[in-house]
Protein backbone atom coordinates (compact mmCIF):
# COMPACT_ATOMS: atom_id res chain seq x y z
CA UNK A 1 0.00 0.00 0.00
CA UNK A 2 1.24 3.52 -0.83
CA UNK A 3 0.07 5.04 2.47
CA UNK A 4 1.81 4.94 5.85
CA UNK A 5 -0.80 2.67 7.41
CA UNK A 6 0.01 3.35 11.06
CA UNK A 7 -0.18 7.14 10.67
CA UNK A 8 -3.47 6.77 8.79
CA UNK A 9 -4.92 4.49 11.48
CA UNK A 10 -3.99 7.03 14.15
CA UNK A 11 -5.55 9.87 12.14
CA UNK A 12 -8.76 7.86 11.64
CA UNK A 13 -9.01 6.98 15.33
CA UNK A 14 -8.56 10.60 16.40
CA UNK A 15 -10.64 12.44 13.81
CA UNK A 16 -13.20 10.19 12.07
CA UNK A 17 -16.05 10.62 11.41
CA UNK A 18 -16.41 14.34 12.20
CA UNK A 19 -13.06 15.67 10.91
CA UNK A 20 -13.63 18.86 12.88
CA UNK A 21 -10.03 20.17 12.71
CA UNK A 22 -7.58 20.96 9.95
CA UNK A 23 -4.94 18.22 10.00
CA UNK A 24 -1.66 18.28 8.06
CA UNK A 25 0.28 14.99 7.76
CA UNK A 26 3.61 15.42 5.93
CA UNK A 27 4.83 12.41 3.94
CA UNK A 28 1.73 10.27 4.53
CA UNK A 29 1.92 8.87 0.98
CA UNK A 30 5.17 6.92 0.78
CA UNK A 31 5.01 6.53 -3.00
CA UNK A 32 2.90 9.36 -4.48
CA UNK A 33 4.08 8.42 -7.96
CA UNK A 34 2.36 5.03 -7.63
CA UNK A 35 -1.03 6.59 -6.88
CA UNK A 36 -0.49 9.14 -9.65
CA UNK A 37 0.18 6.36 -12.17
CA UNK A 38 -3.03 4.57 -11.15
CA UNK A 39 -4.93 7.81 -11.79
CA UNK A 40 -3.18 8.12 -15.17
CA UNK A 41 -4.25 4.57 -16.07
CA UNK A 42 -7.83 5.28 -14.99
CA UNK A 43 -7.98 8.38 -17.19
CA UNK A 44 -6.46 6.40 -20.06
CA UNK A 45 -9.13 3.68 -19.73
CA UNK A 46 -11.94 6.21 -19.52
CA UNK A 47 -10.89 8.41 -22.43
CA UNK A 48 -10.23 5.42 -24.69
CA UNK A 49 -13.19 3.19 -23.91
CA UNK A 50 -16.05 5.24 -22.42
CA UNK A 51 -15.31 8.98 -22.56
CA UNK A 52 -19.00 9.86 -22.43
CA UNK A 53 -19.21 8.36 -18.92
CA UNK A 54 -16.25 10.28 -17.52
CA UNK A 55 -17.32 12.81 -14.87
CA UNK A 56 -14.85 15.48 -15.95
CA UNK A 57 -15.07 19.25 -15.59
CA UNK A 58 -12.52 21.66 -17.06
CA UNK A 59 -12.01 25.19 -15.74
CA UNK A 60 -10.34 28.41 -16.74
CA UNK A 61 -9.77 31.16 -14.14
CA UNK A 62 -13.11 32.02 -12.59
CA UNK A 63 -15.24 29.85 -14.86
CA UNK A 64 -16.32 26.36 -15.83
CA UNK A 65 -15.46 25.83 -19.52
CA UNK A 66 -17.82 23.61 -21.56
CA UNK A 67 -15.69 23.66 -24.73
CA UNK A 68 -12.52 22.78 -22.87
CA UNK A 69 -14.34 19.98 -21.06
CA UNK A 70 -15.40 18.52 -24.41
CA UNK A 71 -11.83 18.79 -25.70
CA UNK A 72 -10.55 16.72 -22.79
CA UNK A 73 -13.31 14.14 -23.24
CA UNK A 74 -12.44 13.90 -26.95
CA UNK A 75 -8.65 13.64 -26.38
CA UNK A 76 -7.55 10.16 -25.25
CA UNK A 77 -4.64 9.94 -22.82
CA UNK A 78 -1.61 8.60 -24.71
CA UNK A 79 0.49 5.58 -23.76
CA UNK A 80 2.69 6.37 -20.74
CA UNK A 81 1.28 9.91 -20.62
CA UNK A 82 0.67 11.38 -17.17
CA UNK A 83 -2.37 13.41 -16.19
CA UNK A 84 -0.30 16.59 -15.89
CA UNK A 85 1.23 16.02 -19.34
CA UNK A 86 -2.24 15.36 -20.77
CA UNK A 87 -3.40 18.66 -19.26
CA UNK A 88 -0.45 20.53 -20.80
CA UNK A 89 -1.06 18.96 -24.22
CA UNK A 90 -4.81 19.61 -24.25
CA UNK A 91 -5.32 22.95 -22.50
CA UNK A 92 -4.78 26.39 -24.03
CA UNK A 93 -2.80 27.81 -21.11
CA UNK A 94 -1.16 27.11 -17.76
CA UNK A 95 -4.06 28.42 -15.68
CA UNK A 96 -6.60 25.93 -17.03
CA UNK A 97 -7.26 22.85 -14.92
CA UNK A 98 -9.58 19.88 -14.59
CA UNK A 99 -11.39 17.82 -11.97
CA UNK A 100 -12.56 14.23 -12.39
CA UNK A 101 -15.04 12.64 -9.98
CA UNK A 102 -15.35 8.89 -9.32
CA UNK A 103 -11.81 8.38 -10.62
CA UNK A 104 -11.49 5.12 -8.63
CA UNK A 105 -14.20 3.49 -10.76
CA UNK A 106 -11.82 3.43 -13.74
CA UNK A 107 -8.96 1.43 -12.23
CA UNK A 108 -9.34 -1.63 -10.02
CA UNK A 109 -6.00 -1.14 -8.23
CA UNK A 110 -6.82 2.49 -7.45
CA UNK A 111 -10.22 1.40 -6.13
CA UNK A 112 -8.48 -1.11 -3.86
CA UNK A 113 -6.14 1.59 -2.48
CA UNK A 114 -9.04 3.97 -1.84
CA UNK A 115 -11.17 1.25 -0.25
CA UNK A 116 -8.37 0.46 2.21
CA UNK A 117 -8.16 4.13 3.15
CA UNK A 118 -11.90 4.46 3.65
CA UNK A 119 -12.01 1.15 5.51
CA UNK A 120 -9.88 2.60 8.30
CA UNK A 121 -12.27 5.53 8.65
CA UNK A 122 -15.16 3.18 9.48
CA UNK A 123 -13.09 0.48 11.20
CA UNK A 124 -14.55 1.15 14.66
CA UNK A 125 -17.90 -0.19 13.45
CA UNK A 126 -19.92 2.59 15.10
CA UNK A 127 -20.61 4.50 11.90
CA UNK A 128 -20.76 3.85 8.17
CA UNK A 129 -21.02 5.86 4.97
CA UNK A 130 -24.57 5.09 3.81
CA UNK A 131 -24.36 7.61 0.97
CA UNK A 132 -20.89 6.55 -0.15
CA UNK A 133 -17.61 8.26 -0.98
CA UNK A 134 -16.33 10.15 -4.01
CA UNK A 135 -12.68 9.62 -4.93
CA UNK A 136 -11.70 12.45 -7.27
CA UNK A 137 -8.62 14.00 -8.78
CA UNK A 138 -7.75 17.61 -9.50
CA UNK A 139 -5.05 18.33 -12.09
CA UNK A 140 -3.56 21.79 -12.50
CA UNK A 141 -0.44 23.72 -13.53
CA UNK A 142 -0.42 27.24 -12.10
CA UNK A 143 -2.70 29.86 -10.61
CA UNK A 144 -5.45 29.87 -7.99
CA UNK A 145 -8.39 27.54 -7.52
CA UNK A 146 -10.67 28.58 -10.42
CA UNK A 147 -13.69 29.09 -8.14
CA UNK A 148 -11.84 31.29 -5.64
CA UNK A 149 -11.95 31.11 -1.87
CA UNK A 150 -14.78 28.68 -1.15
CA UNK A 151 -16.11 26.14 1.32
CA UNK A 152 -17.57 22.66 0.86
CA UNK A 153 -20.46 21.00 2.67
CA UNK A 154 -18.34 17.88 3.33
CA UNK A 155 -14.82 17.53 4.73
CA UNK A 156 -12.05 17.49 2.12
CA UNK A 157 -9.32 14.83 2.46
CA UNK A 158 -6.47 15.74 0.11
CA UNK A 159 -3.54 13.46 -0.82
CA UNK A 160 -1.09 15.60 -2.80
CA UNK A 161 0.77 13.60 -5.45
CA UNK A 162 2.87 16.25 -7.20
CA UNK A 163 5.23 16.36 -8.96
CA UNK A 164 5.17 20.09 -8.02
CA UNK A 165 4.20 21.47 -4.61
CA UNK A 166 0.91 23.27 -3.94
CA UNK A 167 -0.01 26.03 -1.48
CA UNK A 168 -3.21 25.93 0.57
CA UNK A 169 -4.76 28.64 2.75
CA UNK A 170 -7.47 27.77 5.28
CA UNK A 171 -9.67 30.24 7.20
CA UNK A 172 -10.98 28.84 10.49
CA UNK A 173 -13.03 31.97 11.16
CA UNK A 174 -15.12 33.76 8.56
CA UNK A 175 -13.26 37.01 7.77
CA UNK A 176 -15.55 37.96 4.86
CA UNK A 177 -18.41 40.42 4.99
CA UNK A 178 -21.41 40.24 2.67
CA UNK A 179 -19.81 42.55 0.10
CA UNK A 180 -16.97 40.05 -0.45
CA UNK A 181 -19.17 37.03 -1.04
CA UNK A 182 -20.84 35.64 -4.15
CA UNK A 183 -23.45 32.92 -3.56
CA UNK A 184 -22.69 29.66 -5.42
CA UNK A 185 -24.95 26.58 -5.53
CA UNK A 186 -21.92 24.27 -5.88
CA UNK A 187 -19.41 25.87 -3.52
CA UNK A 188 -21.55 27.61 -0.93
CA UNK A 189 -20.34 31.22 -0.87
CA UNK A 190 -17.17 32.24 -2.72
CA UNK A 191 -14.92 35.24 -3.20
CA UNK A 192 -12.30 36.05 -5.83
CA UNK A 193 -10.65 38.78 -3.73
CA UNK A 194 -7.99 36.29 -2.71
CA UNK A 195 -4.69 38.00 -1.99
CA UNK A 196 -6.09 40.67 0.33
CA UNK A 197 -7.35 37.95 2.70
CA UNK A 198 -4.29 35.67 2.82
CA UNK A 199 -2.84 37.28 5.93
CA UNK A 200 -5.79 36.05 8.02
CA UNK A 201 -5.47 32.41 6.91
CA UNK A 202 -3.45 29.38 7.98
CA UNK A 203 -1.01 28.45 5.19
CA UNK A 204 0.24 24.97 4.27
CA UNK A 205 2.78 24.02 1.61
CA UNK A 206 1.96 20.57 0.26
CA UNK A 207 4.89 18.58 -1.08
CA UNK A 208 4.31 15.32 -3.01
CA UNK A 209 3.11 12.76 -0.48
CA UNK A 210 1.64 15.26 2.01
CA UNK A 211 -1.94 15.03 3.27
CA UNK A 212 -4.35 17.76 4.37
CA UNK A 213 -7.80 17.42 5.95
CA UNK A 214 -10.05 20.50 5.65
CA UNK A 215 -13.24 20.43 7.77
CA UNK A 216 -16.65 20.97 6.20
CA UNK A 217 -17.87 24.56 5.83
CA UNK A 218 -14.31 25.86 6.14
CA UNK A 219 -13.13 28.48 3.65
CA UNK A 220 -10.00 27.55 1.72
CA UNK A 221 -8.15 28.15 -1.54
CA UNK A 222 -5.30 26.44 -3.43
CA UNK A 223 -2.46 27.94 -5.47
CA UNK A 224 -0.62 25.71 -7.91
CA UNK A 225 3.18 26.13 -8.05
CA UNK A 226 3.69 23.89 -11.07
CA UNK A 227 2.17 20.81 -12.73
CA UNK A 228 0.57 18.53 -10.16
CA UNK A 229 -2.38 16.30 -9.30
CA UNK A 230 -3.99 15.26 -6.05
CA UNK A 231 -6.32 12.50 -4.97
CA UNK A 232 -9.27 13.75 -2.94
CA UNK A 233 -11.88 11.93 -0.87
CA UNK A 234 -15.35 13.32 -0.24
CA UNK A 235 -17.18 11.42 2.51
CA UNK A 236 -20.89 12.08 2.00
CA UNK A 237 -23.14 12.40 5.06
CA UNK A 238 -26.24 10.21 5.00
CA UNK A 239 -28.82 11.52 2.53
CA UNK A 240 -31.63 9.90 4.48
CA UNK A 241 -34.57 11.20 2.48
CA UNK A 242 -33.09 10.11 -0.84
CA UNK A 243 -32.07 6.69 0.51
CA UNK A 244 -35.55 5.88 1.88
CA UNK A 245 -37.39 7.29 -1.16
CA UNK A 246 -35.28 5.23 -3.57
CA UNK A 247 -35.76 2.11 -1.44
CA UNK A 248 -39.55 2.63 -1.38
CA UNK A 249 -39.63 3.06 -5.16
CA UNK A 250 -37.63 -0.13 -5.72
CA UNK A 251 -39.63 -2.12 -3.17
CA UNK A 252 -43.03 -1.09 -4.53
CA UNK A 253 -42.01 -1.73 -8.17
CA UNK A 254 -44.53 0.65 -9.78
CA UNK A 255 -45.93 -0.58 -13.08
CA UNK A 256 -45.32 1.74 -16.01
CA UNK A 257 -44.14 5.31 -16.14
CA UNK A 258 -46.35 8.36 -15.82
CA UNK A 259 -46.71 10.71 -18.76
CA UNK A 260 -44.26 13.61 -18.94
CA UNK A 261 -47.03 16.05 -17.92
CA UNK A 262 -49.58 14.10 -15.85
CA UNK A 263 -52.49 15.56 -13.95
CA UNK A 264 -51.77 16.14 -10.27
CA UNK A 265 -54.38 13.51 -9.35
CA UNK A 266 -52.36 10.88 -11.23
CA UNK A 267 -49.33 11.60 -9.06
CA UNK A 268 -51.50 11.34 -5.95
CA UNK A 269 -52.89 8.01 -7.16
CA UNK A 270 -49.39 6.74 -7.85
CA UNK A 271 -48.31 7.70 -4.32
CA UNK A 272 -51.33 5.89 -2.88
CA UNK A 273 -50.49 2.80 -4.94
CA UNK A 274 -46.85 2.86 -3.82
CA UNK A 275 -47.81 3.05 -0.16
CA UNK A 276 -50.57 0.43 -0.32
CA UNK A 277 -49.78 -2.74 1.59
CA UNK A 278 -52.44 -5.25 0.57
CA UNK A 279 -52.53 -8.21 2.95
CA UNK A 280 -53.86 -10.39 0.12
CA UNK A 281 -50.82 -9.69 -2.07
CA UNK A 282 -48.26 -12.51 -1.87
CA UNK A 283 -44.81 -11.64 -0.59
CA UNK A 284 -43.34 -9.73 2.31
CA UNK A 285 -45.02 -6.63 3.78
CA UNK A 286 -44.04 -3.32 2.23
CA UNK A 287 -42.02 -2.26 5.30
CA UNK A 288 -39.92 -5.43 5.06
CA UNK A 289 -39.37 -4.93 1.34
CA UNK A 290 -38.24 -1.33 1.88
CA UNK A 291 -35.86 -2.44 4.65
CA UNK A 292 -34.48 -5.13 2.30
CA UNK A 293 -33.84 -2.55 -0.43
CA UNK A 294 -32.03 -0.25 2.01
CA UNK A 295 -29.94 -3.21 3.19
CA UNK A 296 -29.10 -4.04 -0.45
CA UNK A 297 -27.97 -0.46 -1.03
CA UNK A 298 -25.64 -0.69 1.95
CA UNK A 299 -24.26 -4.03 0.75
CA UNK A 300 -23.52 -2.51 -2.66
CA UNK A 301 -21.40 0.14 -0.95
CA UNK A 302 -19.87 -2.16 1.67
CA UNK A 303 -18.74 -4.81 -0.82
CA UNK A 304 -16.84 -2.19 -2.81
CA UNK A 305 -15.33 -0.30 0.12
CA UNK A 306 -17.90 2.55 0.09
CA UNK A 307 -16.71 3.88 -3.27
CA UNK A 308 -18.41 3.76 -6.66
CA UNK A 309 -18.48 0.33 -8.25
CA UNK A 310 -16.05 -0.29 -11.13
CA UNK A 311 -17.07 0.97 -14.54
CA UNK A 312 -17.50 -1.90 -17.05
CA UNK A 313 -14.54 -0.53 -19.03
CA UNK A 314 -12.28 -1.23 -16.04
CA UNK A 315 -13.46 -4.83 -15.61
CA UNK A 316 -11.92 -7.97 -17.14
CA UNK A 317 -13.00 -8.52 -20.73
CA UNK A 318 -12.42 -12.30 -20.80
CA UNK A 319 -13.16 -15.19 -18.47
CA UNK A 320 -10.18 -16.63 -16.56
CA UNK A 321 -8.58 -19.85 -17.74
CA UNK A 322 -9.79 -22.91 -15.76
CA UNK A 323 -6.56 -23.38 -13.80
CA UNK A 324 -5.36 -19.77 -13.65
CA UNK A 325 -4.65 -18.48 -10.10
CA UNK A 326 -7.25 -16.03 -8.79
CA UNK A 327 -7.72 -13.96 -5.64
CA UNK A 328 -10.51 -12.00 -3.95
CA UNK A 329 -10.41 -8.27 -4.66
CA UNK A 330 -10.94 -7.45 -0.98
CA UNK A 331 -12.35 -9.09 2.18
CA UNK A 332 -16.14 -9.00 2.19
CA UNK A 333 -16.33 -8.32 -1.54
CA UNK A 334 -19.32 -10.70 -1.79
CA UNK A 335 -22.36 -10.72 0.51
CA UNK A 336 -25.69 -12.56 0.40
CA UNK A 337 -29.09 -11.00 1.19
CA UNK A 338 -31.78 -13.71 1.56
CA UNK A 339 -35.40 -12.70 0.98
CA UNK A 340 -38.75 -14.35 0.45
CA UNK A 341 -38.17 -14.97 -3.28
CA UNK A 342 -34.65 -16.38 -3.00
CA UNK A 343 -31.24 -14.76 -2.53
CA UNK A 344 -29.58 -11.65 -3.89
CA UNK A 345 -25.80 -11.87 -4.11
CA UNK A 346 -24.04 -8.53 -3.95
CA UNK A 347 -20.55 -8.57 -5.46
CA UNK A 348 -18.35 -5.47 -5.64
CA UNK A 349 -21.33 -3.15 -5.76
CA UNK A 350 -23.41 -5.13 -8.24
CA UNK A 351 -26.34 -7.47 -7.62
CA UNK A 352 -26.62 -11.04 -8.91
CA UNK A 353 -30.07 -12.57 -8.47
CA UNK A 354 -30.18 -16.24 -7.45
CA UNK A 355 -33.72 -17.51 -8.20
CA UNK A 356 -35.73 -19.43 -5.56
CA UNK A 357 -37.59 -21.50 -4.60
CA UNK A 358 -35.97 -20.35 -1.35
CA UNK A 359 -32.88 -18.65 0.06
CA UNK A 360 -29.59 -20.50 -0.49
CA UNK A 361 -26.79 -20.66 2.04
CA UNK A 362 -23.79 -18.68 0.78
CA UNK A 363 -21.98 -18.67 4.12
CA UNK A 364 -18.97 -20.59 2.75
CA UNK A 365 -18.63 -18.12 -0.11
CA UNK A 366 -18.79 -15.11 2.21
CA UNK A 367 -16.20 -16.64 4.53
CA UNK A 368 -13.91 -17.47 1.61
CA UNK A 369 -13.51 -13.78 0.71
CA UNK A 370 -11.57 -13.22 3.94
CA UNK A 371 -8.70 -15.37 2.66
CA UNK A 372 -5.84 -13.97 0.59
CA UNK A 373 -4.76 -17.42 -0.61
CA UNK A 374 -4.96 -17.94 -4.39
CA UNK A 375 -7.55 -20.30 -5.85
CA UNK A 376 -8.83 -21.54 -9.21
CA UNK A 377 -12.19 -21.13 -10.91
CA UNK A 378 -12.99 -24.75 -10.03
CA UNK A 379 -12.24 -24.10 -6.35
CA UNK A 380 -14.42 -21.00 -6.45
CA UNK A 381 -17.30 -23.03 -7.86
CA UNK A 382 -16.85 -25.59 -5.08
CA UNK A 383 -17.70 -23.10 -2.31
CA UNK A 384 -21.08 -22.27 -3.88
CA UNK A 385 -24.21 -23.98 -2.44
CA UNK A 386 -24.54 -27.66 -3.36
CA UNK A 387 -28.28 -27.25 -3.98
CA UNK A 388 -27.65 -25.09 -7.04
CA UNK A 389 -27.50 -26.83 -10.41
CA UNK A 390 -23.91 -27.29 -11.69
CA UNK A 391 -24.45 -24.96 -14.65
CA UNK A 392 -25.89 -22.31 -12.33
CA UNK A 393 -22.88 -22.55 -9.99
CA UNK A 394 -20.51 -22.12 -12.92
CA UNK A 395 -22.53 -19.12 -14.15
CA UNK A 396 -22.32 -17.44 -10.73
CA UNK A 397 -18.57 -18.11 -10.48
CA UNK A 398 -17.97 -16.50 -13.88
CA UNK A 399 -20.20 -13.57 -12.91
CA UNK A 400 -18.08 -12.99 -9.80
CA UNK A 401 -15.04 -12.77 -12.05
CA UNK A 402 -16.86 -10.53 -14.52
CA UNK A 403 -17.82 -7.88 -11.95
CA UNK A 404 -14.31 -7.68 -10.51
CA UNK A 405 -14.96 -9.47 -7.22
CA UNK A 406 -12.31 -11.98 -8.31
CA UNK A 407 -9.12 -10.82 -9.99
CA UNK A 408 -5.72 -12.16 -10.99
CA UNK A 409 -3.04 -12.18 -8.22
Amino acid sequence: MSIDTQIWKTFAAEHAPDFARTVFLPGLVADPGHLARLIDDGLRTATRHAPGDLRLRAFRPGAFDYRLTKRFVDTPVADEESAVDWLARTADGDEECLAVNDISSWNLDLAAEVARLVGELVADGTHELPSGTDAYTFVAHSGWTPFGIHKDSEPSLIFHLGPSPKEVWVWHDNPFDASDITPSPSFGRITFDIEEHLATAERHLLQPGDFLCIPRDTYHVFRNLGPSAFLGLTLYPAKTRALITEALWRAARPAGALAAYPAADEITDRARTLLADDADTPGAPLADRVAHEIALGQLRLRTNGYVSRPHPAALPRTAPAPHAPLRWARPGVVAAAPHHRGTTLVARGRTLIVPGPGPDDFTDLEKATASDAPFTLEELTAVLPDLLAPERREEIALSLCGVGAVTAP
Side-chain angles (χ1 to χ4, degrees):
M1 190 176 182
S2 297
I3 306 297
D4 187 315
T5 305
Q6 190 53 53
I7 294 177
W8 185 247
K9 284 177 180 287
T10 302
F11 166 77
E14 293 179 354
H15 299 283
D18 298 323
F19 304 106
R21 293 195 297 110
T22 299
V23 180
F24 173 63
L25 300 176
L28 175 67
V29 185
D31 186 0
H34 171 67
L35 281 182
R37 287 188 293 274
L38 296 182
I39 290 174
D40 300 340
D41 287 341
L43 290 171
R44 193 171 295 111
T45 295
T47 55
R48 291 184 176 187
H49 300 291
D53 294 340
L54 187 61
R55 296 183 58 202
L56 183 148
R57 293 168 296 154
F59 301 90
R60 50 186 167 81
F64 170 59
D65 193 319
Y66 288 94
R67 291 183 182 274
L68 183 59
T69 297
K70 185 178 187 303
R71 191 187 309 160
F72 277 107
V73 170
D74 292 342
T75 305
V77 179
D79 291 344
E80 306 302 324
E81 188 174 38
S82 68
V84 294
D85 289 340
W86 181 52
L87 171 68
R89 176 168 66 93
T90 309
D92 291 320
D94 287 349
E95 292 196 338
E96 294 176 336
C97 54
L98 63 91
V100 181
N101 297 91
D102 284 334
I103 185 63
S104 62
S105 66
W106 296 98
N107 182 279
L108 297 184
D109 291 333
L110 179 61
E113 294 271 13
V114 172
R116 282 192 285 269
L117 289 170
V118 176
E120 292 298 336
L121 302 180
V122 296
D124 63 3
T126 61
H127 63 278
E128 288 194 70
L129 295 165
S131 292
T133 305
D134 177 26
Y136 63 97
T137 189
F138 198 90
V139 187
H141 188 287
S142 64
W144 298 100
T145 302
F147 26 86
I149 299 173
H150 65 286
K151 59 181 181 178
D152 302 301
S153 55
E154 303 88 16
S156 299
L157 308 184
I158 306 297
F159 303 82
H160 187 56
L161 307 179
S164 299
K166 183 187 293 280
E167 289 178 295
V168 189
W169 284 265
V170 181
W171 287 262
H172 296 293
D173 300 313
N174 181 3
F176 314 111
D177 60 36
S179 63
D180 290 328
I181 293 296
T182 302
S184 166
S186 298
F187 302 105
R189 293 152 66 82
I190 63 177
T191 179
F192 291 100
D193 298 325
I194 296 174
E195 296 195 12
E196 66 185 75
H197 292 291
L198 296 182
T200 60
E202 176 184 293
R203 176 185 174 272
H204 295 278
L205 178 64
L206 301 185
Q207 299 288 351
D210 291 350
F211 168 82
L212 185 67
C213 168
I214 304 173
R216 64 188 297 270
D217 291 330
T218 299
Y219 282 104
H220 58 280
V221 71
F222 294 88
R223 182 162 67 182
N224 306 293
L225 301 178
S228 67
F230 70 67
L231 174 69
L233 296 184
T234 298
L235 311 176
Y236 292 116
K239 302 172 184 177
T240 311
R241 185 180 304 177
L243 289 170
I244 294 175
T245 301
E246 178 67 17
L248 173 62
W249 189 262
R250 290 177 179 271
R253 295 178 180 82
L258 291 174
Y261 301 97
D265 287 348
E266 293 180 64
I267 299 175
T268 303
D269 291 342
R270 174 58 60 87
R272 185 178 290 112
T273 301
L274 283 174
L275 295 171
D277 200 3
D278 188 350
D280 296 328
T281 302
L286 178 61
D288 289 346
R289 300 201 305 273
V290 171
H292 176 70
E293 291 295 337
I294 291 176
L296 275 183
Q298 293 309 294
L299 287 180
R300 292 186 189 102
L301 285 170
R302 207 174 296 154
T303 56
N304 199 45
Y306 299 97
V307 296
S308 299
R309 66 190 186 185
H311 189 279
L315 294 172
R317 290 174 173 78
T318 59
H323 302 293
L326 304 170
R327 65 173 177 86
W328 295 106
R330 62 186 305 274
V333 73
V334 181
H339 52 92
H340 66 283
R341 293 185 310 279
T343 303
T344 300
L345 270 186
V346 183
R348 198 155 191 177
R350 285 181 163 82
T351 51
L352 310 173
I353 304 299
V354 182
D360 292 292
D361 185 1
F362 285 91
T363 303
D364 289 345
L365 175 64
E366 292 176 302
K367 289 181 178 178
T369 69
S371 172
D372 57 4
F375 54 89
T376 65
L377 188 61
E378 183 180 0
E379 290 170 326
L380 169 58
T381 305
V383 298
L384 296 173
D386 292 334
L387 294 178
L388 291 173
E391 62 274 11
R392 184 64 177 128
R393 295 164 72 199
E394 182 179 359
E395 179 185 342
I396 292 172
L398 289 172
S399 295
L400 293 174
C401 298
V403 300
V406 175
T407 63

